[in-house]
Amino acid sequence: MKKVVTLVLVLMLCLSVNAFAKSKSYGKGVSVPEVTKISQILDTPETYIGKKVKIAGMIIEVCASRGCWVYVASDRPYEKIQVKVTDGEIVFPMSATGKLAEVEGTVEELKLSKDDLIRWKKHQAQERGVEFDPASVKAGEKIVRLIGLGAVVEE
């Protein structure tokens, strides 16, 4: 039984190493040993604000304008978190969309007034090249995101 458990652990280690065998590092890479679930961060942001965490998931969208942010899918369906990086320090390629990634950064909460949210959503719509109706914003919003320091993205 002990040999079977050891064999399974070795196999799991090989598979996890293989998952990122062909990967590219951005910024400072990743150094935090444990992954924090995105759902945990979104459920209790006050626990994580200002703390450095590593998240893992599929990149579902990349800033088409400058590659300065990505959305990473949560471990829970229909959730995502934005990772914003300093313009020019890290540039995520459009080809990162659909790839698995580990991303490290500091959790931040933005408290946007209605006017700030309209400006922010208008800016994102321009980057995506889509229409935006300011009337669709009814109130301000709190947004939890990561200020990205580094990432490893599968190739």
Side-chain angles (χ1 to χ4, degrees), residues 4-59:
V4 172
V5 171
T6 303
L7 181 62
V8 169
L9 289 175
V10 169
L11 184 60
M12 289 175 62
L13 179 63
C14 290
L15 289 174
S16 67
V17 169
N18 235 1
F20 283 91
K22 293 183 179 181
S23 60
K24 183 171 182 178
S25 182
Y26 295 88
K28 297 178 180 174
V30 292
S31 61
V32 174
E34 292 183 26
V35 172
T36 301
K37 289 183 176 182
I38 294 170
S39 62
Q40 288 178 312
I41 295 169
L42 297 176
D43 285 347
T44 57
E46 62 280 357
T47 303
Y48 299 98
I49 290 172
K51 292 183 179 172
K52 188 174 172 182
V53 298
K54 179 173 75 175
I55 61 170
M58 180 177 288
I59 294 176

Short mmCIF file of all heavy atoms in Angstrom, two decimals, residues 4-59:
data_model
loop_
_atom_site.label_atom_id
_atom_site.label_comp_id
_atom_site.label_asym_id
_atom_site.label_seq_id
_atom_site.Cartn_x
_atom_site.Cartn_y
_atom_site.Cartn_z
N VAL A 4 2.15 2.02 -3.42
CA VAL A 4 1.12 2.58 -4.31
C VAL A 4 0.94 4.06 -4.03
O VAL A 4 0.88 4.88 -4.96
CB VAL A 4 -0.22 1.82 -4.14
CG1 VAL A 4 -1.34 2.52 -4.91
CG2 VAL A 4 -0.08 0.38 -4.59
N VAL A 5 0.89 4.43 -2.76
CA VAL A 5 0.74 5.84 -2.40
C VAL A 5 1.94 6.64 -2.89
O VAL A 5 1.79 7.72 -3.47
CB VAL A 5 0.57 5.99 -0.87
CG1 VAL A 5 0.63 7.46 -0.46
CG2 VAL A 5 -0.74 5.38 -0.42
N THR A 6 3.13 6.09 -2.71
CA THR A 6 4.34 6.77 -3.18
C THR A 6 4.32 6.92 -4.68
O THR A 6 4.63 7.99 -5.22
CB THR A 6 5.60 5.98 -2.75
OG1 THR A 6 5.59 5.85 -1.34
CG2 THR A 6 6.86 6.68 -3.19
N LEU A 7 3.93 5.87 -5.40
CA LEU A 7 3.85 5.92 -6.86
C LEU A 7 2.85 6.97 -7.32
O LEU A 7 3.12 7.75 -8.23
CB LEU A 7 3.47 4.54 -7.42
CG LEU A 7 3.39 4.44 -8.93
CD1 LEU A 7 4.74 4.74 -9.58
CD2 LEU A 7 2.91 3.07 -9.34
N VAL A 8 1.69 7.03 -6.67
CA VAL A 8 0.67 8.03 -7.03
C VAL A 8 1.20 9.44 -6.78
O VAL A 8 1.02 10.34 -7.61
CB VAL A 8 -0.64 7.79 -6.24
CG1 VAL A 8 -1.60 8.95 -6.40
CG2 VAL A 8 -1.29 6.49 -6.70
N LEU A 9 1.88 9.65 -5.66
CA LEU A 9 2.44 10.98 -5.36
C LEU A 9 3.49 11.38 -6.39
O LEU A 9 3.52 12.52 -6.84
CB LEU A 9 3.02 11.00 -3.95
CG LEU A 9 1.99 10.97 -2.82
CD1 LEU A 9 2.70 10.86 -1.47
CD2 LEU A 9 1.09 12.17 -2.85
N VAL A 10 4.36 10.44 -6.76
CA VAL A 10 5.39 10.73 -7.76
C VAL A 10 4.73 11.05 -9.11
O VAL A 10 5.12 12.00 -9.79
CB VAL A 10 6.38 9.55 -7.90
CG1 VAL A 10 7.28 9.73 -9.12
CG2 VAL A 10 7.21 9.43 -6.64
N LEU A 11 3.71 10.28 -9.47
CA LEU A 11 2.98 10.52 -10.72
C LEU A 11 2.32 11.89 -10.71
O LEU A 11 2.40 12.64 -11.69
CB LEU A 11 1.94 9.42 -10.95
CG LEU A 11 1.18 9.49 -12.26
CD1 LEU A 11 2.12 9.40 -13.45
CD2 LEU A 11 0.14 8.39 -12.32
N MET A 12 1.69 12.26 -9.59
CA MET A 12 1.04 13.58 -9.48
C MET A 12 2.06 14.70 -9.59
O MET A 12 1.81 15.72 -10.24
CB MET A 12 0.26 13.69 -8.17
CG MET A 12 -0.99 12.83 -8.15
SD MET A 12 -1.84 12.82 -6.57
CE MET A 12 -2.28 14.53 -6.41
N LEU A 13 3.23 14.51 -8.97
CA LEU A 13 4.29 15.51 -9.05
C LEU A 13 4.76 15.67 -10.49
O LEU A 13 4.92 16.78 -10.97
CB LEU A 13 5.44 15.12 -8.13
CG LEU A 13 6.63 16.09 -8.13
CD1 LEU A 13 6.19 17.46 -7.60
CD2 LEU A 13 7.75 15.54 -7.30
N CYS A 14 4.95 14.55 -11.18
CA CYS A 14 5.39 14.60 -12.58
C CYS A 14 4.36 15.32 -13.44
O CYS A 14 4.71 16.13 -14.30
CB CYS A 14 5.63 13.20 -13.12
SG CYS A 14 7.08 12.42 -12.42
N LEU A 15 3.08 15.02 -13.21
CA LEU A 15 2.03 15.65 -14.01
C LEU A 15 1.96 17.15 -13.74
O LEU A 15 1.78 17.94 -14.65
CB LEU A 15 0.68 14.99 -13.73
CG LEU A 15 0.52 13.58 -14.28
CD1 LEU A 15 -0.80 12.98 -13.81
CD2 LEU A 15 0.62 13.55 -15.79
N SER A 16 2.10 17.55 -12.47
CA SER A 16 2.03 18.98 -12.16
C SER A 16 3.23 19.72 -12.73
O SER A 16 3.11 20.84 -13.20
CB SER A 16 1.91 19.21 -10.66
OG SER A 16 3.08 18.81 -10.01
N VAL A 17 4.40 19.12 -12.70
CA VAL A 17 5.59 19.73 -13.29
C VAL A 17 5.40 19.80 -14.79
O VAL A 17 5.70 20.80 -15.44
CB VAL A 17 6.86 18.94 -12.92
CG1 VAL A 17 8.04 19.40 -13.75
CG2 VAL A 17 7.16 19.09 -11.44
N ASN A 18 4.85 18.75 -15.38
CA ASN A 18 4.64 18.70 -16.82
C ASN A 18 3.63 19.75 -17.29
O ASN A 18 3.74 20.27 -18.38
CB ASN A 18 4.16 17.31 -17.23
CG ASN A 18 5.03 16.73 -18.29
OD1 ASN A 18 6.00 17.34 -18.70
ND2 ASN A 18 4.68 15.53 -18.73
N ALA A 19 2.63 20.05 -16.42
CA ALA A 19 1.61 21.02 -16.81
C ALA A 19 2.22 22.37 -17.14
O ALA A 19 1.73 23.10 -17.98
CB ALA A 19 0.57 21.16 -15.71
N PHE A 20 3.32 22.72 -16.45
CA PHE A 20 3.97 23.99 -16.72
C PHE A 20 5.38 23.78 -17.27
O PHE A 20 6.22 24.65 -17.17
CB PHE A 20 4.01 24.84 -15.46
CG PHE A 20 2.69 25.49 -15.15
CD1 PHE A 20 1.76 24.86 -14.34
CD2 PHE A 20 2.36 26.70 -15.72
CE1 PHE A 20 0.55 25.46 -14.08
CE2 PHE A 20 1.14 27.31 -15.46
CZ PHE A 20 0.23 26.68 -14.63
N ALA A 21 5.63 22.58 -17.86
CA ALA A 21 6.95 22.29 -18.39
C ALA A 21 7.34 23.30 -19.46
O ALA A 21 8.48 23.74 -19.53
CB ALA A 21 7.01 20.88 -18.94
N LYS A 22 6.39 23.65 -20.29
CA LYS A 22 6.64 24.67 -21.30
C LYS A 22 5.86 25.89 -20.87
O LYS A 22 4.66 25.98 -21.11
CB LYS A 22 6.18 24.19 -22.68
CG LYS A 22 6.99 23.05 -23.21
CD LYS A 22 6.54 22.67 -24.59
CE LYS A 22 7.40 21.54 -25.11
NZ LYS A 22 7.03 21.15 -26.45
N SER A 23 6.54 26.78 -20.21
CA SER A 23 5.86 27.96 -19.71
C SER A 23 6.78 29.16 -19.84
O SER A 23 7.98 29.04 -20.06
CB SER A 23 5.45 27.75 -18.25
OG SER A 23 6.59 27.51 -17.47
N LYS A 24 6.16 30.32 -19.69
CA LYS A 24 6.93 31.56 -19.78
C LYS A 24 6.68 32.36 -18.51
O LYS A 24 5.54 32.47 -18.05
CB LYS A 24 6.53 32.37 -21.00
CG LYS A 24 7.34 33.63 -21.16
CD LYS A 24 7.09 34.31 -22.47
CE LYS A 24 8.00 35.55 -22.54
NZ LYS A 24 7.86 36.26 -23.78
N SER A 25 7.74 32.92 -17.98
CA SER A 25 7.64 33.70 -16.77
C SER A 25 7.56 35.18 -17.12
O SER A 25 8.22 35.65 -18.04
CB SER A 25 8.88 33.43 -15.90
OG SER A 25 8.79 34.13 -14.69
N TYR A 26 6.72 35.90 -16.39
CA TYR A 26 6.55 37.34 -16.59
C TYR A 26 6.86 38.06 -15.28
O TYR A 26 6.57 37.54 -14.20
CB TYR A 26 5.11 37.66 -17.01
CG TYR A 26 4.76 37.09 -18.36
CD1 TYR A 26 4.25 35.80 -18.47
CD2 TYR A 26 4.94 37.83 -19.52
CE1 TYR A 26 3.94 35.26 -19.70
CE2 TYR A 26 4.63 37.31 -20.76
CZ TYR A 26 4.13 36.02 -20.84
OH TYR A 26 3.83 35.48 -22.06
N GLY A 27 7.42 39.23 -15.38
CA GLY A 27 7.74 40.01 -14.19
C GLY A 27 8.68 39.25 -13.27
O GLY A 27 9.68 38.70 -13.73
N LYS A 28 8.32 39.20 -12.01
CA LYS A 28 9.17 38.54 -11.01
C LYS A 28 8.88 37.05 -10.88
O LYS A 28 9.39 36.40 -9.98
CB LYS A 28 8.97 39.22 -9.65
CG LYS A 28 9.42 40.67 -9.65
CD LYS A 28 9.17 41.34 -8.32
CE LYS A 28 9.64 42.80 -8.38
NZ LYS A 28 9.30 43.53 -7.17
N GLY A 29 8.04 36.52 -11.77
CA GLY A 29 7.69 35.11 -11.67
C GLY A 29 6.82 34.88 -10.44
O GLY A 29 6.14 35.80 -9.98
N VAL A 30 6.84 33.66 -9.92
CA VAL A 30 6.04 33.36 -8.74
C VAL A 30 6.94 32.71 -7.69
O VAL A 30 7.81 31.92 -8.02
CB VAL A 30 4.84 32.44 -9.05
CG1 VAL A 30 3.81 33.17 -9.91
CG2 VAL A 30 5.26 31.16 -9.72
N SER A 31 6.73 33.08 -6.43
CA SER A 31 7.55 32.52 -5.35
C SER A 31 6.71 32.08 -4.16
O SER A 31 7.19 31.35 -3.31
CB SER A 31 8.60 33.54 -4.90
OG SER A 31 7.98 34.71 -4.41
N VAL A 32 5.47 32.55 -4.07
CA VAL A 32 4.61 32.14 -2.96
C VAL A 32 4.32 30.66 -3.13
O VAL A 32 3.88 30.24 -4.21
CB VAL A 32 3.30 32.97 -2.94
CG1 VAL A 32 2.35 32.45 -1.88
CG2 VAL A 32 3.61 34.44 -2.73
N PRO A 33 4.58 29.84 -2.10
CA PRO A 33 4.44 28.39 -2.27
C PRO A 33 3.01 27.89 -2.44
O PRO A 33 2.77 26.93 -3.16
CB PRO A 33 5.08 27.81 -1.01
CG PRO A 33 5.08 28.92 -0.01
CD PRO A 33 5.10 30.19 -0.78
N GLU A 34 2.05 28.51 -1.77
CA GLU A 34 0.68 27.98 -1.80
C GLU A 34 -0.24 28.84 -2.66
O GLU A 34 -0.12 30.06 -2.67
CB GLU A 34 0.11 27.92 -0.38
CG GLU A 34 0.81 26.89 0.48
CD GLU A 34 0.18 26.79 1.86
OE1 GLU A 34 -1.01 27.10 2.00
OE2 GLU A 34 0.90 26.39 2.77
N VAL A 35 -1.15 28.15 -3.35
CA VAL A 35 -2.16 28.83 -4.15
C VAL A 35 -3.35 29.18 -3.26
O VAL A 35 -3.81 28.35 -2.48
CB VAL A 35 -2.63 27.93 -5.32
CG1 VAL A 35 -3.83 28.55 -6.04
CG2 VAL A 35 -1.49 27.66 -6.28
N THR A 36 -3.81 30.40 -3.38
CA THR A 36 -5.04 30.83 -2.70
C THR A 36 -6.16 30.78 -3.73
O THR A 36 -6.02 31.31 -4.84
CB THR A 36 -4.89 32.27 -2.15
OG1 THR A 36 -3.79 32.30 -1.25
CG2 THR A 36 -6.16 32.70 -1.44
N LYS A 37 -7.27 30.15 -3.36
CA LYS A 37 -8.39 30.06 -4.29
C LYS A 37 -8.97 31.46 -4.52
O LYS A 37 -9.14 32.24 -3.58
CB LYS A 37 -9.48 29.14 -3.74
CG LYS A 37 -9.09 27.69 -3.74
CD LYS A 37 -10.26 26.85 -3.25
CE LYS A 37 -9.90 25.37 -3.34
NZ LYS A 37 -11.03 24.54 -2.92
N ILE A 38 -9.29 31.72 -5.77
CA ILE A 38 -9.89 33.01 -6.12
C ILE A 38 -11.21 33.19 -5.39
O ILE A 38 -11.52 34.29 -4.91
CB ILE A 38 -10.05 33.13 -7.65
CG1 ILE A 38 -8.66 33.15 -8.31
CG2 ILE A 38 -10.88 34.36 -8.03
CD1 ILE A 38 -8.68 33.02 -9.81
N SER A 39 -11.97 32.13 -5.27
CA SER A 39 -13.27 32.22 -4.57
C SER A 39 -13.07 32.65 -3.11
O SER A 39 -13.89 33.40 -2.57
CB SER A 39 -14.01 30.89 -4.64
OG SER A 39 -13.26 29.86 -4.01
N GLN A 40 -11.99 32.20 -2.48
CA GLN A 40 -11.72 32.62 -1.10
C GLN A 40 -11.44 34.12 -1.04
O GLN A 40 -11.91 34.81 -0.14
CB GLN A 40 -10.51 31.86 -0.54
CG GLN A 40 -10.77 30.41 -0.22
CD GLN A 40 -9.50 29.73 0.29
OE1 GLN A 40 -8.43 29.87 -0.31
NE2 GLN A 40 -9.63 29.00 1.38
N ILE A 41 -10.67 34.61 -2.00
CA ILE A 41 -10.34 36.04 -2.02
C ILE A 41 -11.61 36.87 -2.23
O ILE A 41 -11.82 37.87 -1.56
CB ILE A 41 -9.30 36.34 -3.13
CG1 ILE A 41 -7.98 35.64 -2.82
CG2 ILE A 41 -9.10 37.85 -3.30
CD1 ILE A 41 -6.98 35.65 -3.96
N LEU A 42 -12.46 36.42 -3.14
CA LEU A 42 -13.69 37.17 -3.43
C LEU A 42 -14.71 37.07 -2.30
O LEU A 42 -15.48 38.01 -2.07
CB LEU A 42 -14.30 36.68 -4.75
CG LEU A 42 -13.42 36.91 -5.99
CD1 LEU A 42 -14.07 36.32 -7.22
CD2 LEU A 42 -13.12 38.39 -6.19
N ASP A 43 -14.72 35.95 -1.58
CA ASP A 43 -15.66 35.78 -0.48
C ASP A 43 -15.29 36.62 0.75
O ASP A 43 -16.16 37.15 1.43
CB ASP A 43 -15.74 34.31 -0.05
CG ASP A 43 -16.53 33.46 -1.02
OD1 ASP A 43 -17.22 34.02 -1.90
OD2 ASP A 43 -16.45 32.22 -0.90
N THR A 44 -13.99 36.71 1.02
CA THR A 44 -13.53 37.43 2.21
C THR A 44 -12.35 38.33 1.85
O THR A 44 -11.23 38.11 2.32
CB THR A 44 -13.13 36.46 3.33
OG1 THR A 44 -12.12 35.56 2.83
CG2 THR A 44 -14.31 35.67 3.86
N PRO A 45 -12.59 39.34 1.02
CA PRO A 45 -11.46 40.18 0.57
C PRO A 45 -10.74 40.86 1.72
O PRO A 45 -9.52 41.05 1.65
CB PRO A 45 -12.12 41.19 -0.36
CG PRO A 45 -13.57 41.17 -0.05
CD PRO A 45 -13.86 39.78 0.48
N GLU A 46 -11.47 41.19 2.80
CA GLU A 46 -10.84 41.88 3.93
C GLU A 46 -9.71 41.04 4.54
O GLU A 46 -8.78 41.58 5.12
CB GLU A 46 -11.89 42.26 4.99
CG GLU A 46 -12.61 41.08 5.64
CD GLU A 46 -13.76 40.49 4.80
OE1 GLU A 46 -14.07 41.01 3.70
OE2 GLU A 46 -14.32 39.48 5.25
N THR A 47 -9.77 39.73 4.37
CA THR A 47 -8.72 38.85 4.88
C THR A 47 -7.44 38.98 4.06
O THR A 47 -6.35 38.75 4.57
CB THR A 47 -9.20 37.37 4.82
OG1 THR A 47 -10.40 37.25 5.57
CG2 THR A 47 -8.16 36.42 5.38
N TYR A 48 -7.58 39.35 2.79
CA TYR A 48 -6.43 39.33 1.88
C TYR A 48 -5.93 40.69 1.43
O TYR A 48 -4.84 40.79 0.86
CB TYR A 48 -6.80 38.49 0.64
CG TYR A 48 -7.13 37.06 0.99
CD1 TYR A 48 -8.44 36.64 1.12
CD2 TYR A 48 -6.11 36.13 1.23
CE1 TYR A 48 -8.75 35.33 1.46
CE2 TYR A 48 -6.41 34.83 1.58
CZ TYR A 48 -7.73 34.44 1.68
OH TYR A 48 -8.03 33.15 2.04
N ILE A 49 -6.70 41.75 1.62
CA ILE A 49 -6.30 43.08 1.13
C ILE A 49 -4.93 43.45 1.68
O ILE A 49 -4.68 43.35 2.88
CB ILE A 49 -7.36 44.14 1.49
CG1 ILE A 49 -8.62 43.89 0.65
CG2 ILE A 49 -6.83 45.56 1.23
CD1 ILE A 49 -9.80 44.73 1.02
N GLY A 50 -4.04 43.82 0.76
CA GLY A 50 -2.68 44.20 1.12
C GLY A 50 -1.73 43.04 1.25
O GLY A 50 -0.53 43.24 1.43
N LYS A 51 -2.24 41.81 1.11
CA LYS A 51 -1.38 40.63 1.24
C LYS A 51 -0.97 40.11 -0.13
O LYS A 51 -1.71 40.21 -1.10
CB LYS A 51 -2.09 39.53 2.01
CG LYS A 51 -2.33 39.88 3.47
CD LYS A 51 -2.96 38.75 4.22
CE LYS A 51 -3.16 39.18 5.68
NZ LYS A 51 -3.93 38.21 6.42
N LYS A 52 0.21 39.51 -0.17
CA LYS A 52 0.73 38.91 -1.39
C LYS A 52 0.21 37.48 -1.47
O LYS A 52 0.37 36.72 -0.50
CB LYS A 52 2.26 38.93 -1.34
CG LYS A 52 2.94 38.51 -2.61
CD LYS A 52 4.46 38.72 -2.43
CE LYS A 52 5.25 38.15 -3.55
NZ LYS A 52 6.69 38.35 -3.32
N VAL A 53 -0.40 37.13 -2.59
CA VAL A 53 -0.96 35.79 -2.78
C VAL A 53 -0.56 35.27 -4.16
O VAL A 53 -0.15 36.03 -5.04
CB VAL A 53 -2.50 35.79 -2.67
CG1 VAL A 53 -2.96 36.22 -1.29
CG2 VAL A 53 -3.13 36.64 -3.75
N LYS A 54 -0.72 33.96 -4.31
CA LYS A 54 -0.56 33.34 -5.64
C LYS A 54 -1.90 32.70 -5.96
O LYS A 54 -2.46 31.98 -5.14
CB LYS A 54 0.55 32.29 -5.62
CG LYS A 54 0.72 31.60 -6.98
CD LYS A 54 1.93 30.69 -7.01
CE LYS A 54 1.71 29.41 -6.27
NZ LYS A 54 2.82 28.44 -6.38
N ILE A 55 -2.40 33.00 -7.15
CA ILE A 55 -3.63 32.37 -7.63
C ILE A 55 -3.29 31.52 -8.84
O ILE A 55 -2.21 31.67 -9.45
CB ILE A 55 -4.70 33.42 -8.01
CG1 ILE A 55 -4.21 34.33 -9.15
CG2 ILE A 55 -5.12 34.24 -6.79
CD1 ILE A 55 -5.29 35.23 -9.74
N ALA A 56 -4.19 30.62 -9.18
CA ALA A 56 -3.99 29.77 -10.36
C ALA A 56 -5.33 29.63 -11.07
O ALA A 56 -6.38 29.57 -10.44
CB ALA A 56 -3.46 28.41 -9.95
N GLY A 57 -5.25 29.58 -12.39
CA GLY A 57 -6.47 29.41 -13.17
C GLY A 57 -6.22 29.72 -14.63
O GLY A 57 -5.08 29.97 -15.05
N MET A 58 -7.29 29.68 -15.39
CA MET A 58 -7.19 29.94 -16.83
C MET A 58 -7.35 31.43 -17.10
O MET A 58 -8.26 32.07 -16.56
CB MET A 58 -8.26 29.17 -17.59
CG MET A 58 -8.19 29.41 -19.10
SD MET A 58 -9.39 28.44 -20.01
CE MET A 58 -8.64 26.83 -19.83
N ILE A 59 -6.47 31.96 -17.92
CA ILE A 59 -6.61 33.35 -18.35
C ILE A 59 -7.74 33.38 -19.37
O ILE A 59 -7.69 32.69 -20.40
CB ILE A 59 -5.29 33.88 -18.96
CG1 ILE A 59 -4.22 33.94 -17.87
CG2 ILE A 59 -5.51 35.26 -19.59
CD1 ILE A 59 -2.85 34.36 -18.36
#
